[in-house]
């Protein structure tokens, strides 16, 4: 199961895992995009349309899965976004709610809804998409970073709780990835979004998907538990080697 499959890292992950032979449950808010993705996949897939932040719908949809798709082996908790990049005193409360609802609360709801099928079989692998923003705080990113720090803490807690059950819990923390991410953060301002990756080669969604595939394919006794994935040009959350003088 991949959440946020309608674009970016989620889309690329679904494509890579399908090429590797996995049946897929594609989750997202945009049904037309999920159908487009489904038409490109090599393996059987099932679409679930919901917003991860909508608690009731998350459980309703996941509990409605047909028999063939109801035993989930691998959950990729990818859905999430950034809204705004502002200092605390200027930020919009609605942006904060949207980030906390999808990046953190939504991830916990989906996990809770999927877990019963893993717990009863004592089998499964959950991979959460964190961020370098969950390891380091940067200016104007206070609540986005908080939501990703929360994902990091939840991942560790989940790994502890599921340890006796033999269920693997891992996290991937990407730095700069060229997806719709910055365009959404800057509310459709393509110019501002393009400045973020100016003068350097960011990660592609496929780079992250390839890492996820590697983690999924590790031998059963191996858990690649926590990976920070950066483009070569990025040193940390706010230092990058750019060919131009553009600053983050
Ligand atoms: C995305 C990476 O550096 O824009 O989570 O926060 S960053």
């Amino acid at each position: 199961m991949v959440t946020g499959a309608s674009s970016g890292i989620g889309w690329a992950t679904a494509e890579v895992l399908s090429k590797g032979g996995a049946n897929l449950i594609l989750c997202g808010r945009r049904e037309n995009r999920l159908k487009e993705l489904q038409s490109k996949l090599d393996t059987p897939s099932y679409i679930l349309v919901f917003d991860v932040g909508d608690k009731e719908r998350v459980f309703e949809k996941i509990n409605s899965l047909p028999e063939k798709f109801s035993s989930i082996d691998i959950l990729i908790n990818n859905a999430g976004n950034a809204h705004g990049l502002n200092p605390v005193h200027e930020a919009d409360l609605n942006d904060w709610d949207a980030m906390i609802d999808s990046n953190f609360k939504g991830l916990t709801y989906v996990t809770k809804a999927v877990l019963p099928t893993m717990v009863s079989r004592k089998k499964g692998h959950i991979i959460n998409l964190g961020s370098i923003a969950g390891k380091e705080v940067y200016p104007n990113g206070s609540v986005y970073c908080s939501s990703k720090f929360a994902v990091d803490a939840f991942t560790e807690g989940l790994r502890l709780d599921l340890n006796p059950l033999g269920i693997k819990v891992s996290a991937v923390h990407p730095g700069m990835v060229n997806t719709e991410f910055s365009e959404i953060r800057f509310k459709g301002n393509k110019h501002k979004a393009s400045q973020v990756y100016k003068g350097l080669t960011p990660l592609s969604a496929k780079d992250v998907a390839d890492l996820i595939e590697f983690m999924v394919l590790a031998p059963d006794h191996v858990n690649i538990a926590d990976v920070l994935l950066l483009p070569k040009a990025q040193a940390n959350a706010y230092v990058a080697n750019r060919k131009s003088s553009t600053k983050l």
Side-chain angles (χ1 to χ4, degrees):
M1 172 182 275
V2 182
T3 67
S6 52
S7 67
I9 295 170
W11 179 293
T13 301
E15 283 189 327
V16 165
L17 296 182
S18 174
K19 282 210 174 67
N23 293 351
L24 283 147
I25 301 162
L26 309 170
C27 309
R29 287 171 303 171
R30 292 172 285 181
E31 189 173 15
N32 56 337
R33 298 271 301 159
L34 295 175
K35 283 192 169 147
E36 190 190 333
L37 172 59
Q38 185 172 50
S39 72
K40 293 178 195 289
L41 297 180
D42 303 329
T43 49
S45 61
Y46 191 84
I47 288 175
L48 286 184
V49 180
F50 64 87
D51 180 337
V52 295
D54 184 339
K55 187 163 52 182
E56 277 76 38
R57 211 169 144 84
V58 166
F59 285 87
E60 182 196 312
K61 283 291 172 185
I62 292 175
N63 290 334
S64 76
L65 281 165
E67 179 75 27
K68 184 169 184 267
F69 286 91
S70 62
S71 291
I72 297 161
D73 298 311
I74 302 161
L75 167 63
I76 313 293
N77 264 324
N78 162 73
N81 259 317
H83 301 282
L85 186 68
N86 301 104
V88 169
H89 50 287
E90 289 169 13
D92 184 330
L93 280 178
N94 292 324
D95 283 346
W96 286 3
D97 284 342
M99 290 188 281
I100 294 165
D101 287 350
S102 62
N103 301 1
F104 180 55
K105 289 168 73 179
L107 182 143
T108 66
Y109 300 154
V110 172
T111 303
K112 190 98 168 84
V114 166
L115 267 178
T117 68
M118 293 186 173
V119 169
S120 61
R121 292 180 299 142
K122 291 192 163 52
K123 184 174 183 279
H125 191 178
I126 298 172
I127 301 183
N128 293 335
L129 266 292
S131 168
I132 190 170
K135 300 286 186 184
E136 279 179 275
V137 180
Y138 51 81
N140 302 323
S142 56
V143 170
Y144 178 71
C145 294
S146 300
S147 72
K148 291 297 188 175
F149 268 71
V151 169
D152 202 26
F154 182 71
T155 303
E156 287 186 28
L158 195 60
R159 187 155 55 238
L160 289 166
D161 292 349
L162 299 180
N163 177 263
L165 296 169
I167 298 169
K168 279 193 214 182
V169 180
S170 319
V172 180
H173 301 278
M176 284 188 260
V177 189
N178 194 7
T179 62
E180 291 173 349
F181 177 85
S182 288
E183 217 177 303
I184 292 168
R185 166 171 265 173
F186 295 118
K187 305 183 187 301
N189 186 327
K190 287 192 194 326
H191 175 69
K192 260 187 164 175
S194 71
Q195 298 300 302
V196 176
Y197 312 117
K198 203 168 172 187
L200 57 76
T201 306
L203 298 169
S204 66
K206 172 129 187 337
D207 293 328
V208 185
D210 287 341
L211 169 64
I212 291 170
E213 183 187 39
F214 187 76
M215 292 165 78
V216 160
L217 292 178
D220 186 53
H221 68 287
V222 176
N223 182 16
I224 302 169
D226 195 78
V227 183
L228 177 66
L229 185 69
L230 301 176
K232 184 176 79 171
Q234 185 176 13
N236 74 0
Y238 45 84
V239 174
N241 178 10
R242 294 174 193 273
K243 288 188 196 81
S244 73
S245 60
T246 316
K247 291 264 180 303
L248 253 183

